[in-house]
Amino acid sequence: MDVLTDLLHRARAQNALVRQLIQQPPWSVTFAEVPPLSVVAAIEGRSVVRLDDQAVPLDAGDIALISGVDEYTIADDPATPPQILIRGGRKYLPGSDEELCGDWALAPRTFGDGLPGATVMLRGAYELRGAVGGRVLELLPSLAVVPTGSRTRAALDLLTAEVGCDEPGQDAVLGRLLDLVLVLALRAWCARPEAGPAWYQAMADRAIGAALRRMHEDPARRWTVAGLAAAVGMSRASFAARFAALVGEPPLTYLTGWRMTLAADLLRDTDRTVAAVARGVGYEDAFAFSAAFKRAHGVSPSAWRRRTWAS
């Protein structure tokens, strides 16, 4: 299993939200109290994403990945003043608690006026899980724009064709198509040498990519540098040097960091004992596990569990 697949599989929440906007300019919609990750795509016409002091244009087919923010605005033009605030699935006047009335729906999951010359936008939102979800968010700045490409455009066309339908299994179809759009957009973003994390670039290396896959497929195995090197057909010294150069840290440092991420979510999401969690991520000695966990997260495993269960 490659690193990106493992991250997305473990972080994925259910019931991803997908909505379509078909609105004639001028228009401006602000989304507040948003989930950790949003996917906004321009389907027809030009638009902008406004985030803090940024106003980034989107051409048809462009995808914006928005992460780790409380609020953002999509509009037809940077100069269009805010018109609608969406919070908790309800519409408000911006800067007011006055809820707007009236039916804005054109079809299931489709909103706007639907008039000729309208801009068409898609928006998907993800609730990501736990510490692994945090690692997904670390891949991105608060706003990452992926220009249109043949593969992303084809996936967006499929999602657009399905979003207005209301047939059995529709939420499952939309969730999987949104996943496809997200994965293709993340690939495109991370593949940029100046943007992607070191481990993403390292996956293209035959030996180091294979070592990363092995660690993610079986993180609890008692891996050693020598064992990983032998598994990918390299000497211990050459493997250790190449891994550190490409990934940015030694092999076992990377492995320990991933194990501590998995452990944090096991402590939060299960009632396993600390000793059982330790064994689940490759530690026979619960004391050694607790020391490693505290170095990574700043608190003991028990304190982490109490804090996350209380939140």
Side-chain angles (χ1 to χ4, degrees):
M1 181 182 296
D2 69 79
V3 182
L4 185 59
T5 297
D6 200 14
L7 283 173
L8 293 173
H9 173 73
R10 294 179 186 273
R12 176 74 163 87
Q14 300 300 312
N15 302 320
L17 176 119
V18 184
R19 295 291 184 266
Q20 181 175 224
L21 174 69
I22 305 176
Q23 185 74 27
Q24 189 179 56
W27 59 271
S28 177
V29 182
T30 297
F31 297 91
E33 300 174 4
V34 295
L37 178 60
S38 297
V39 181
V40 174
I43 305 302
E44 295 180 20
R46 296 196 68 194
S47 57
V48 297
V49 177
R50 294 204 298 255
L51 182 65
D52 297 328
D53 296 330
Q54 302 180 73
V56 179
L58 298 180
D59 291 322
D62 290 352
I63 299 171
L65 302 176
I66 305 167
S67 61
V69 302
D70 295 324
E71 181 177 298
Y72 63 87
T73 298
I74 57 174
D76 70 300
D77 187 89
T80 302
Q83 297 172 345
I84 296 174
L85 172 71
I86 306 292
R87 184 176 63 237
R90 297 179 180 274
K91 297 184 299 177
Y92 298 88
L93 281 174
S96 168
D97 290 331
E98 179 183 349
E99 189 171 346
L100 294 172
C101 300
D103 189 5
W104 199 35
L106 298 172
R109 309 174 191 83
T110 301
F111 300 87
D113 56 30
L115 295 174
T119 306
V120 181
M121 304 286 294
L122 282 179
R123 174 179 175 264
Y126 280 94
E127 291 283 356
L128 298 177
R129 290 196 295 255
V132 176
R135 282 212 173 197
V136 174
L137 297 180
E138 288 172 1
L139 301 178
L140 298 165
S142 56
L143 176 58
V145 175
V146 176
T148 185
S150 59
R151 300 178 78 183
T152 53
R153 184 73 225 204
L156 287 175
D157 288 344
L158 285 172
L159 185 56
T160 303
E162 290 290 335
V163 74
C165 298
D166 194 18
E167 300 177 9
Q170 199 66 37
D171 286 338
V173 170
L174 291 173
R176 284 159 176 76
L177 287 175
L178 182 60
D179 287 346
L180 175 61
V181 170
L182 174 62
V183 172
L184 292 176
L186 282 173
R187 274 184 184 172
W189 177 261
C190 291
R192 300 166 59 188
E194 74 279 10
W199 58 256
Y200 189 91
Q201 310 299 327
M203 287 195 300
D205 183 270
R206 181 194 62 79
I208 305 307
L212 286 166
R213 285 192 296 274
R214 287 172 183 270
M215 284 189 274
H216 279 261
E217 287 167 358
D218 192 2
R221 183 169 173 174
R222 298 185 67 180
W223 291 111
T224 63
V225 175
L228 284 165
V232 299
M234 294 183 70
S235 71
R236 183 188 185 283
S238 296
F239 169 76
R242 187 163 183 78
F243 190 102
L246 293 179
V247 180
E249 57 187 345
L252 297 189
T253 302
Y254 176 90
L255 177 62
T256 298
W258 179 237
R259 284 171 167 174
M260 295 304 106
T261 298
L262 298 179
D265 285 349
L266 286 171
L267 290 164
R268 187 199 66 174
D269 296 335
T270 74
D271 59 359
R272 296 186 197 179
T273 65
V274 171
V277 170
R279 290 192 297 272
V281 296
Y283 285 79
E284 292 298 326
D285 184 343
F287 293 103
F289 165 73
S290 295
F293 190 92
K294 189 169 184 177
R295 284 194 299 272
H297 296 287
V299 295
S300 69
S302 297
W304 174 273
R305 169 168 277 167
R306 289 193 297 270
R307 187 171 71 187
T308 54
W309 281 12
S311 62

